[in-house]
Amino acid sequence: MAAERKTKLSKNLLRMKFMQRGLDSETKKQLEEEEKKIISEEHWYLDLPELKEKESFIIEEQSFLLCEDLLYGRMSFRGFNPEVEKLMLQMNAKNKAEEVEEQTVELDVSDEEMARRYETLVGTIGKKFAKKRDRALYEEDENGDIKPVKAKKMFLKPQD
Amino acid sequence: MAEAASVPAESLAGCRARAARTVLDQVVLPGEELLLPEQEDGEGPGGAGERPLRLNAAARSRGRVVCGPGLRRCGDRLLVTKCGRLRHKEPGSGSGGGVYWVDSQQKRYVPVKGDHVIGIVTAKSGDIFKVDVGGSEPASLSYLAFEGATKRNRPNVQVGDLIYGQFVVANKDMEPEMVCIDSCGRANGMGVIGQDGLLFKVTLGLIRKLLAPDCEILQEVGKLYPMEIVFGMNGRIWVKAKTIQQTLILANILEACEHMTTDQRKQIFSRLAES
């Protein structure tokens, strides 16, 4: 009974994945191509010559933004709303493309502050590496900043 | 009848198209056809005889001409659809053949993509707000289209609030959609407009006039007293000042300045400055 039924497997069954594992790649490719052919033959197409769209050089736009340089719509005067005033500067500057001015990078810390910090930093770090005897040389300023005392104790030769 | 037909502005059959260049800043009427500068070379009657050698290829490769509001493309020509003055803007940086548009006046707003408008929230349904912008349909605004909005962190928007936003979708086939953030996700001043103040409606042309870069009216108004103004391209203006009286004065000035001459305006400002 099994021998009689062997050749009557349906096409759908043969297309299933577990049935195809045994096939070699050529047979698989052929099957795929046959399927694609069937599908593409079922598509309808018009038998007309290809119409080439005329390349037009006029573009239609309904927006006024392209036509006129309009300012930003939110405005505040005489400090009524400081955030809006900041926005005004930002947005209008963007429109006018004055980005050349804005290329100077805004410093987070000013130069003076940097110098001040560095001055005290030298003292703090210097204290860390100084030996125990030399640590006494570093005094604390009124502000709590550590400043190195300039005069270091050197050996004084007896004058006589 | 023969003389009438030869006048180029005749709008009956046999109208000759005029060159756009010659009509700049003049009034044009709907139905007129305009020729772009490159096409008028061969159109004139005297051109056939002594046509100078023009590099038409160079002219055509000049780039695309943009036809703005009030104009439509009709083959190779521009067709006027609104009455007003024809304007032209030269291309700023190289590419493009410039922009032509018609400066017309109207009160009815039609949503356009990219426009910043003031809308009034009319309904809250599920995830979107319905916002009345003065067009044929209320625009939809998603609650996620605000800066810093997430599904858990919803924006605090109630029915009746004023919203300043821009359109992302606006065409004649679909309902307009607006958002209150830009493409980077930042608000840039858009969102709910604060408490108090007064919203009133003006013509669209006045808004464009006031938002022009060199508008004297705004400069003079700004000197009067501290105030805040928001302009929506749909003809709505929201003003706020410290007292109700100042707000009302401001609203009246902005409405009236459309029909005043420069001298009248200066008179009124000087009187206000005194009081």
Side-chain angles (χ1 to χ4, degrees), chain A residues 4 15 57 61-62 76 87 92 94:
Chain A
E4 285 167 21
R15 239 182 261 160
F57 57 98
E61 289 273 352
Q62 288 299 319
S76 154
L87 259 176
N92 292 333
K94 237 195 275 179

Side-chain angles (χ1 to χ4, degrees), chain A residues 55-67:
Chain A
E55 193 191 306
S56 68
F57 57 98
I58 307 181
I59 313 175
E60 272 187 37
E61 289 273 352
Q62 288 299 319
S63 162
F64 274 106
L65 291 176
L66 278 180
C67 310

Side-chain angles (χ1 to χ4, degrees), chain A residues 130 134 137-138 149-155:
Chain A
D134 300 337
L137 293 172
Y138 286 89
V149 173
K150 291 211 174 101
K152 244 184 160 176
K153 285 186 181 157
M154 298 276 295
F155 173 66

Side-chain angles (χ1 to χ4, degrees), chain A residues 57 59 72-75 77-78, chain B residues 65 67 188-189 227 229 231:
Chain A
F57 57 98
I59 313 175
Y72 184 58
R74 281 195 91 149
M75 303 187 184
F77 297 101
R78 290 180 63 167
Chain B
V65 170
C67 75
N188 272 347
M227 65 181 75
I229 315 181
F231 292 98

Side-chain angles (χ1 to χ4, degrees), chain B residues 228-241:
Chain B
E228 190 185 345
I229 315 181
V230 179
F231 292 98
M233 296 295 286
N234 52 347
R236 293 185 181 168
I237 305 183
W238 179 84
V239 293
K240 182 171 172 186

Side-chain angles (χ1 to χ4, degrees), chain A residues 27-126:
Chain A
T27 342
K28 270 191 216 171
K29 273 187 205 165
Q30 270 185 14
L31 280 173
E32 265 183 49
E33 274 172 34
E34 274 171 35
E35 273 199 42
K36 275 189 200 166
K37 224 168 132 188
I38 295 172
I39 292 173
S40 65
E41 271 173 23
E42 284 185 26
H43 285 163
W44 291 21
Y45 59 94
L46 289 172
D47 211 0
L48 296 172
E50 219 181 81
L51 290 171
K52 196 176 151 206
E53 198 195 292
K54 252 196 324 184
E55 193 191 306
S56 68
F57 57 98
I58 307 181
I59 313 175
E60 272 187 37
E61 289 273 352
Q62 288 299 319
S63 162
F64 274 106
L65 291 176
L66 278 180
C67 310
E68 310 174 18
D69 264 333
L70 296 176
L71 295 175
Y72 184 58
R74 281 195 91 149
M75 303 187 184
S76 154
F77 297 101
R78 290 180 63 167
F80 195 75
N81 192 336
E83 294 164 4
V84 174
E85 302 216 345
K86 249 192 283 173
L87 259 176
M88 273 169 77
L89 293 171
Q90 229 182 4
M91 304 293 286
N92 292 333
K94 237 195 275 179
N95 284 352
K96 292 182 187 164
E98 282 169 4
E99 283 159 2
V100 184
E101 291 177 2
E102 285 173 3
Q103 266 176 17
T104 58
V105 177
E106 266 185 35
L107 303 170
D108 288 337
V109 183
S110 73
D111 289 348
E112 283 176 13
E113 223 186 300
M114 189 71 187
R116 245 184 288 144
R117 287 284 165 83
Y118 201 66
E119 198 182 2
T120 57
L121 196 69
V122 165
T124 331
I125 303 291

